[in-house]
Amino acid sequence: MLAAVTSFAIDGVETRRVTVECDIRLGLPGFTVVGLADKSVREARERVRSAITNSGFEFPQKRITVNLAPAYLRKEGPHFDLPLAIAVLAASGQLEAAALADCAVAGELSLEGELRAIRGALALGEATRRHGLDRLLLPHDRASEAALVAGLGVLGVRTLREAVDVLRGELVAPVPAAVATHAANDDEPGVDLADVRGHNAIIAPVKVAVAGGHNLLLHGPPGTGKTMLARRIPTLLPPLTGDEAIEVTKIHSIAGLHTGGGLVAERPFRAPHHMISASGLVGGGATPTPGEVTLAHRGVLFLDELSEFNRAALESLRQPLEDGRVVVVRSQRVLVFPTRCMLVGATNPCPCGLGGEDCRCSGADLARHQRRLSGPLLDRLDISLAVNRPTGAGMRDQAAPSSASVRAEVVAARERQTRRLAGSGATCNAEMTPAMLREIAAITPSARRLLFEAHDTQGLTARGHHRVLRIARTIADLQGSELAGPEHVASALAMRTEPETAAVAA
């Protein structure tokens, strides 16, 4: 007999439909899986054989051939275990093939026939609805995540026996329970911007960076508060919108970082170690997986000790920062990972960290340090701030405003941007294209003249021109101004080209 079961392959952060075809006929007993399956799928033969037997079903002692179509698409991961088992049972007559007509199947099996949690349940649920199927059969532990897809019938089961009973109509799968949203970050709970002391002058530029989603560079001697300030930036960001929460949850579920049901509640904050490779940062590898810049999508990617990162890894960020996506090509596969995040870098002025007159570095040390950060990369960092050693009086008397108060201003500015950018595909000022800047940036003629003068006086690049204009538009949004004037452009230029005076200009 011949039977077919619908499942899906996870390809990067996308899903591709896979039809699991099973043919059983007379011949020497054997179990063959074809269709460009990886090792984990080929090993499923032994798991399926044991699970079927230990669940009280009969494993056919005949020639079994399973084809995973389309044959050109690579199939990876243990979530094909359950589709293989269901296909074998249907082809052997132990399950009616009609019960599978409108149902997709995914799940990993134990040798006893129990179902284990799988990655990417939300992505599988979206794919099921997109292909016109009404139901998704998957492990009970991931049912609440798949149930986030509106209008999808989610059948969460704990064993292979339960799966068959549900498909036969002999058992009703429980309705997935509503699960609270989950945080994307577990480190440093309860942090607040008010913890930062002695740096009130740079709070305004940081607020501008957060309000517009602009990339930020913090540089200064060690121990001055760069890392402390950067780790409080997530507390200033606006809440995730519904669509953004779906995006983040899907990416983190595929990467195996989201282990509960419900949506991710907070914007992600990723802080990889400086020994990370280029593929770890932007994605790739033999089996392409999302990199840190994709895991930070719609959130913050913090690179502490920026100058200590491998130069090849840093240079690999240039395209993702510019395009909002990274394209990975491996073995005739083209994968696209989203990378819309706010990059925050922190670095010391030199290898010894002291800088200026107290620097103990040689000329060769300084040259090597400067070569780590290329001009094209620095040109993509919108705002550059010097974080100097705070004074004793500042440490005693200057407490920063609370995260809640700054976040309220940021949310108000983002709401103005949302109204202005409605229908454009951009979500904040940092994502505006040059064409959008010309059409909707709303800049006064005098401000535009000042910006063009900066090309000659400050050596702005064309990219720098657009980034200054985006920053000026954000400053105007924070002040509630419909037009970006010369004072806004002047502040934006100071933040970009003269970090020592940026705080004063803001």
Side-chain angles (χ1 to χ4, degrees):
M1 292 181 62
L2 182 67
V5 177
T6 298
S7 190
F8 296 94
I10 295 177
D11 195 25
V13 294
E14 302 297 330
T15 49
R16 305 281 185 263
R17 185 169 182 167
V18 173
T19 302
V20 181
E21 302 171 323
C22 181
D23 177 67
I24 300 179
R25 61 183 62 238
L26 295 175
L28 290 175
F31 191 178
T32 305
V33 178
V34 297
L36 203 58
D38 77 341
K39 187 174 182 179
S40 65
V41 180
R42 294 195 300 271
E43 290 176 344
R45 294 175 298 178
E46 304 308 319
R47 293 192 294 270
V48 168
R49 187 193 308 270
S50 296
I52 288 177
T53 303
N54 291 329
S55 297
F57 300 106
E58 179 185 353
F59 189 83
Q61 297 302 313
K62 298 179 181 180
R63 183 182 179 87
I64 304 172
T65 303
V66 175
N67 178 45
L68 306 178
Y72 64 83
L73 179 66
R74 187 173 181 82
K75 290 80 177 181
E76 302 168 345
H79 67 276
F80 285 105
D81 289 6
L82 185 57
L84 284 168
I86 295 296
V88 170
L89 293 175
S92 61
Q94 300 176 73
L95 177 65
E96 291 293 333
L100 306 171
D102 63 342
C103 185
V105 182
E108 178 183 351
L109 285 169
S110 72
L111 298 183
E112 292 182 312
E114 295 181 350
L115 284 170
R116 292 174 173 159
I118 58 174
R119 298 181 179 186
L122 178 57
L124 296 173
E126 288 184 335
T128 301
R129 290 299 298 151
R130 188 170 63 249
H131 286 86
L133 302 176
D134 297 327
R135 300 179 298 163
L136 173 62
L137 180 70
L138 79 170
H140 179 270
D141 290 346
R142 290 294 178 265
S144 58
E145 182 182 326
L148 295 171
V149 180
L152 177 66
V154 178
L155 309 177
V157 294
R158 292 181 171 84
T159 65
L160 176 60
R161 168 59 70 179
E162 279 189 23
V164 174
D165 289 344
V166 167
L167 290 173
R168 287 173 174 170
E170 299 173 359
L171 179 68
V172 178
V175 178
V179 178
T181 54
H182 290 255
N185 319 299
D186 297 324
D187 46 350
E188 295 198 57
V191 297
D192 194 279
L193 187 63
D195 301 331
V196 180
R197 305 188 71 87
H199 286 305
N200 283 16
I202 65 174
I203 297 302
V206 170
K207 180 170 60 179
V208 171
V210 175
H214 306 290
N215 299 326
L216 174 65
L217 175 64
L218 304 171
H219 58 92
T224 55
K226 302 185 298 295
T227 300
M228 186 179 188
L229 185 60
R231 288 191 175 276
R232 279 147 183 79
I233 285 179
T235 66
L236 312 179
L237 289 166
L240 287 166
T241 65
D243 290 341
E244 289 174 341
I246 290 288
E247 283 184 86
V248 174
T249 303
K250 183 167 69 172
I251 292 171
H252 283 232
S253 177
I254 290 173
L257 301 178
H258 183 60
T259 58
L263 292 174
V264 171
E266 299 175 0
R267 293 184 182 272
F269 179 82
R270 305 293 299 179
H273 190 266
H274 63 261
M275 295 295 290
I276 191 172
S277 65
S279 61
L281 198 56
V282 301
T287 303
T289 55
E292 289 291 331
V293 68
T294 297
L295 297 177
H297 182 63
R298 301 301 180 191
V300 177
L301 175 63
F302 175 44
L303 302 184
D304 201 3
E305 305 297 344
L306 186 66
S307 59
E308 297 301 320
F309 279 75
N310 180 278
R311 173 156 182 167
L314 290 179
E315 293 303 302
S316 68
L317 286 173
R318 285 160 58 172
Q319 180 193 3
L321 292 179
E322 195 72 19
D323 299 340
R325 63 175 190 164
V326 60
V327 180
V328 178
V329 180
R330 290 290 186 278
S331 302
Q332 300 181 346
R333 299 170 64 190
V334 179
L335 305 178
V336 180
F337 298 115
T339 60
R340 290 290 184 192
C341 67
M342 176 183 174
L343 175 65
V344 179
T347 185
N348 297 324
C350 60
C352 76
L354 299 177
E357 298 178 355
D358 298 326
C359 180
R360 298 191 297 266
C361 301
S362 66
D365 291 336
L366 289 172
R368 281 194 297 270
H369 182 80
Q370 293 171 356
R371 282 197 298 270
R372 293 286 185 91
L373 304 178
S374 68
L377 177 65
L378 292 176
D379 200 37
R380 287 167 168 82
L381 300 177
D382 303 356
I383 297 177
S384 179
L385 298 177
V387 184
N388 297 315
R389 176 177 172 270
T391 64
M395 290 286 290
R396 183 183 67 245
D397 303 328
Q398 292 184 8
S402 68
S403 293
S405 62
V406 175
R407 190 183 199 186
E409 296 182 64
V410 169
V411 169
R414 285 286 182 109
E415 288 175 350
R416 296 185 184 97
Q417 295 170 45
T418 299
R419 290 192 294 269
R420 184 187 310 114
L421 300 172
S424 66
T427 60
C428 60
N429 287 337
E431 297 177 12
M432 285 196 293
T433 64
M436 293 166 61
L437 286 169
R438 289 191 297 269
E439 295 174 4
I440 61 178
I443 182 173
T444 64
S446 57
R448 194 175 298 279
R449 284 195 300 270
L450 177 61
L451 183 55
F452 281 116
E453 289 173 4
H455 279 272
D456 298 326
T457 59
Q458 300 185 17
L460 277 183
T461 63
R463 181 187 294 114
H465 171 100
H466 294 132
R467 292 187 180 273
V468 168
L469 186 52
R470 294 185 184 102
I471 297 169
R473 183 60 262 173
T474 300
I475 297 172
D477 287 333
L478 281 167
Q479 296 178 0
S481 175
E482 293 297 325
L483 296 175
E487 67 279 11
H488 303 132
V489 171
S491 294
L493 286 168
M495 290 179 193
R496 181 171 175 82
T497 60
E498 296 184 38
E500 296 80 34
T501 61
V504 176

